[in-house]
Amino acid sequence: MARLFGTDGVRGVAGQDLTAVLALELSIAAARVLTERKSGRRPLAVVGRDPRASGEFLEAAVVAGLAGTGVDVLRVGVLPTPAVAYLTGEFGADFGVMLSASHNPARDNGIKFFARGGQKLEDTLEDEIEGMLGMPSTSVVGDAVGRVTDATDGAERYVEHVVGSLPNSLKGLRVVVDCAHGASSTVAPQALRRAGAEVIAIGDSPDGHNINQGCGSTHMDTLQEAVRLHGADAGIANDGDADRCLAVDAEGEVVDGDQILAILATEARDAGKLAGGTLVATVMSNLGLKLAMEREGISVTETAVGDRYVLEEMKRGGFSLGGEQSGHVILLAHATTGDGVLTGLHLLSVMARRQLGLAELAKVMTRLPQVLVNVPGVDKTRVDEAEALWDAVREAEKELGESGRVLLRPSGTEPKVRVMVEAAGEEQARRIAERLAGVVRDELG
């Protein structure tokens, strides 16, 4: 049986894969695993969601499951995933629950849990929760039932926190922020304005069905057009639950997560705040990032794909900055998970402090051409044993030399294999990627 928890919680089509019954059972199981029952004190859980219509019935199911097992519930409403993580720690809760499918379309939804302090769950805890599903449960009665309260100041606490983390004002910057009709639609413009920026907000009118639809970090063309139209200094794009941040410079060129990491890493290094002189990135990060950091005297530690693995390595090594090309950036001094609003603020603060445009700052690294080919409908479980495939990979690596690389890995969530090639030129990268994709089809099809 496949593991229920994926790389970022439990996700699926709401009402089909992720039903009210499953949400109820997951919340009951989580209450058993993540709480400590102490005499005279009921456990407390913080529950938040993004604005998807399905979040309403899933939230009701989660709240019912928690309160029915004797857990007090603090509903914080529609807020970014990192805000729920922050408030879990801020309110001293035993755990937090976020209902979101991040950058996925509106029909999908998901449930992720945070442990005490707003920390992401380790695999072992997720396995414990999954193992509790379907186990006989005992509902509490009378005074033992959990109480449900709405936290009306959750958004204000979060905005105050992220703005308070800035070393300087954003005064003088004109910024377009694309909220993806998602969880940051209120707090992102508010935080930017409070930090001193002139703000044009787009994608900030969620109706429960338009999340990520032609906007946000998965549709950067919308932000590019808006930045040019309004003559803005920069643009910031979040995804549906605002744990990602991508950017656009004044000319409308995209600045991706790797470039943001490079800018923040060198800035932190110069300020003496880059712990261990090390940046944590994933194997999917552009080779240009690693080369740039070597030039700047900054070490790079690589992890598997997924911000949870980045976070684990940061904690293990005592590092302060890490992230992914997709825009998950973790500033561990201020957040326990990727935070798109926080990242955008700190990126803009570098612009304001240095009085430099984003295009100039992004020159700290040169992106090598990178081609990603997804090969669907193959048996990804046989990747490791496909000798002819790995012979082809070694041949490609020999051709690329030190000016490129090959990454071949099974998808963590779909029946496909991903082939990524970086090279000095895009034509070479594409040719090699297509060649390797053909070998994948031949060997694993």
Side-chain angles (χ1 to χ4, degrees):
M1 182 178 175
R3 187 172 185 265
L4 183 63
F5 281 87
T7 55
D8 203 17
V10 178
R11 286 190 192 176
V13 178
Q16 177 179 304
D17 307 310
L18 185 55
T19 63
V21 172
L22 179 56
L24 179 78
E25 292 178 346
L26 277 169
S27 64
I28 293 171
R32 289 177 167 180
V33 173
L34 301 176
T35 60
E36 296 179 10
R37 307 282 171 158
K38 298 179 181 179
S39 59
R41 175 188 175 277
R42 275 196 298 264
L44 174 66
V46 170
V47 177
R49 63 182 180 88
D50 71 21
R52 295 166 206 265
S54 61
E56 296 168 0
F57 81 78
L58 290 171
E59 179 190 59
V62 167
V63 170
L66 296 176
T69 59
V71 177
D72 285 342
V73 178
L74 198 56
R75 288 188 302 204
V76 296
V78 174
L79 282 178
T81 290
V84 173
Y86 169 72
L87 293 171
T88 297
E90 177 74 0
F91 287 122
D94 293 76
F95 64 100
V97 187
M98 179 65 186
L99 298 160
S100 176
S102 189
H103 58 282
N104 286 25
R107 73 173 195 154
D108 294 342
N109 217 320
I111 299 179
K112 67 177 74 175
F113 297 98
F114 293 102
R116 186 182 294 276
Q119 303 293 327
K120 284 201 168 186
L121 300 190
E122 297 178 358
D123 288 349
T124 53
L125 285 176
E126 290 183 340
D127 289 340
E128 280 188 54
I129 292 172
E130 191 167 332
M132 286 284 183
L133 293 176
M135 298 287 285
S137 60
T138 303
S139 297
V140 297
V141 298
D143 292 342
V145 300
R147 303 299 301 274
V148 182
T149 307
D150 290 319
T152 58
D153 63 343
E156 173 59 28
R157 285 175 180 250
Y158 171 68
V159 169
E160 185 177 324
H161 164 65
V162 293
V163 174
S165 72
L166 290 178
N168 57 275
S169 168
L170 306 185
K171 188 175 181 180
L173 292 181
R174 171 180 282 191
V175 180
V176 179
V177 59
D178 187 343
C179 306
H181 294 309
S184 71
S185 294
T186 298
V187 294
Q190 184 179 348
L192 288 164
R193 290 188 179 107
R194 191 172 300 183
E198 178 188 348
V199 179
I200 298 100
I202 63 175
D204 61 336
S205 302
D207 63 10
H209 304 285
N210 60 358
I211 190 169
N212 299 312
Q213 194 174 84
C215 57
S217 62
T218 53
H219 298 276
M220 294 295 288
D221 55 317
T222 302
L223 179 60
Q224 290 173 290
E225 291 177 11
V227 167
R228 289 190 288 257
L229 175 66
H230 293 284
D233 297 295
I236 297 295
N238 295 145
D239 61 338
D241 70 334
D243 64 352
R244 295 188 190 191
C245 169
L246 295 180
V248 169
D249 68 25
E251 299 302 317
E253 294 297 317
V254 173
V255 176
D256 69 13
D258 286 340
Q259 293 169 294
I260 293 171
L261 285 169
I263 294 167
L264 295 181
T266 52
E267 184 73 7
R269 186 271 318 273
D270 292 347
K273 295 181 179 180
L274 186 65
T278 297
L279 171 68
V280 181
T282 77
V283 293
M284 286 293 285
S285 285
N286 193 280
L287 180 59
L289 174 62
K290 186 175 181 179
L291 296 175
M293 294 299 94
E294 287 179 356
R295 186 183 67 247
E296 293 290 333
I298 295 172
S299 299
V300 176
T301 296
E302 291 186 338
T303 74
V305 175
D307 64 330
R308 65 183 300 166
Y309 303 114
V310 173
L311 181 58
E312 287 173 5
E313 179 61 23
M314 291 175 69
K315 290 179 179 178
R316 186 201 64 77
F319 305 128
S320 55
L321 178 64
E324 298 185 284
Q325 188 182 75
S326 61
H328 285 123
V329 175
I330 304 172
L331 297 159
L332 205 52
H334 309 294
T336 59
T337 186
D339 189 328
V341 178
L342 180 73
T343 300
L345 287 167
H346 278 261
L347 178 64
L348 294 168
S349 79
V350 178
M351 290 180 60
R353 188 162 59 257
R354 292 193 182 184
Q355 294 292 294
L356 290 173
L358 191 51
E360 186 67 24
L361 292 174
K363 288 180 180 178
V364 68
M365 71 163 278
T366 300
R367 285 184 293 192
L368 292 184
Q370 187 179 73
V371 173
L372 176 66
V373 178
N374 291 314
V375 187
V378 296
D379 184 358
K380 66 180 183 180
T381 65
R382 295 195 292 114
V383 166
D384 290 342
E385 63 192 51
E387 293 185 12
L389 175 57
W390 291 109
D391 285 342
V393 169
R394 283 188 286 271
E395 182 181 341
E397 289 175 333
K398 185 177 180 181
E399 179 182 342
L400 290 166
E402 294 184 359
S403 63
R405 63 175 181 143
V406 174
L407 179 64
L408 188 149
R409 70 181 187 90
S411 168
T413 57
E414 301 172 86
K416 64 176 61 172
V417 171
R418 305 189 194 280
V419 180
M420 189 273 284
V421 176
E422 289 174 334
E426 185 170 356
E427 182 179 344
Q428 182 187 31
R430 189 166 301 281
R431 174 172 51 80
I432 293 175
E434 293 292 352
R435 186 175 78 210
L436 290 175
V439 179
V440 171
R441 294 185 192 98
D442 292 341
E443 297 298 316
L444 305 179

